[in-house]
Amino acid sequence: NAGVMQNPRHLVRRRGQEARLRCSPMKGHSHVYWYRQLPEEGLKFMVYLQKENIIDESGMPKERFSAEFPKEGPSILRIQQVVRGDSAAYFCASSPAFRSDTQYFGPGTRLTVL
Amino acid sequence: GQQVMQIPQYQHVQEGEDFTTYCNSSTTLSNIQWYKQRPGGHPVFLIQLVKSGEVKKQKRLTFQFGEAKKNSSLHITATQTTDVGTYFCAGEDTGNQFYFGTGTSLTVIP
């Protein structure tokens, strides 16, 4: 049973470009979470999604950031017009059912904005 | 708003010494989870505690959930270099909001 997959593992973008981060949850998991981790800091919750629904986006910046989890395919975290402050590790996690279930984390995408 | 704080933020210990990290919530939690993140890695689930006063052990690791379900601790006996990493607690409050703690970074000096 494959774990949570994230790609790309490393992404370099110039200021103003778009970044698309993908997450495929574990098989059988319908709940996906995105977190951001700045260097030497903790995990900051961004958004919680189920298939085709955003359940909680209270941690998402109001502008430039969006997330989706379509019926088919991976969950996508999209950052438009990236700025240097967006440089961070973005982790996706999935769980089988409830939010408080064990969350299984992917390896993360390290975004660097030049 | 809800906060889940961990102390200490950083801890350096000699190999063989014990280590404890404390997790404190501003509100009552329905459950608490602990995760470990190795340097350069991703968080990995360690354990979940649900009951008030619950204590669970995993080899040299002992996890406790406070009686009031607002705090928790992770204790490692006789640390080894493989214990290096950041330990996060995470909890769900009674409003179904889920929060990660600020983390404790453990360095073990051989």
Side-chain angles (χ1 to χ4, degrees), chain B residues 86-100:
Chain B
T86 300
Y87 293 84
F88 292 99
C89 63
E92 181 185 28
D93 68 15
T94 52
N96 300 122
Q97 295 297 307
F98 191 74
Y99 302 92
F100 268 85

Side-chain angles (χ1 to χ4, degrees), chain A residues 37 56 100 102-103 106 110, chain B residues 33 35 37 40 42 48 92:
Chain A
Q37 187 174 40
D56 180 356
S100 57
T102 300
Q103 295 187 20
R110 269 80 177 168
Chain B
Q33 300 173 6
Y35 292 77
Q37 183 178 22
H42 60 276
Q48 176 168 284
E92 181 185 28

Side-chain angles (χ1 to χ4, degrees), chain A residues 89-103:
Chain A
Y90 292 84
F91 290 99
C92 165
S94 72
S95 66
F98 305 114
R99 185 171 189 168
S100 57
D101 277 353
T102 300
Q103 295 187 20

Side-chain angles (χ1 to χ4, degrees), chain B residues 79-90:
Chain B
T79 54
Q80 300 175 358
T81 54
T82 52
D83 295 326
V84 166
T86 300
Y87 293 84
F88 292 99
C89 63

Side-chain angles (χ1 to χ4, degrees), chain A residues 31-93:
Chain A
H31 297 237
V32 165
Y33 317 83
W34 285 93
Y35 295 88
R36 177 164 62 178
Q37 187 174 40
L38 295 170
E40 306 297 321
E41 292 191 11
L43 291 162
K44 300 295 184 187
F45 167 76
M46 298 182 75
V47 63
Y48 164 36
L49 310 105
Q50 293 179 32
K51 284 284 187 181
E52 300 184 278
N53 286 305
I54 297 175
I55 307 302
D56 180 356
E57 56 181 350
S58 57
M60 286 278 271
K62 299 297 180 197
E63 298 176 346
R64 303 188 297 108
F65 285 72
S66 62
E68 62 176 7
F69 189 16
K71 187 176 180 181
E72 301 291 337
S75 175
I76 307 285
L77 178 67
R78 183 182 177 206
I79 311 173
Q80 295 177 289
Q81 299 175 313
V82 295
V83 300
R84 288 219 174 102
D86 296 332
S87 295
Y90 292 84
F91 290 99
C92 165

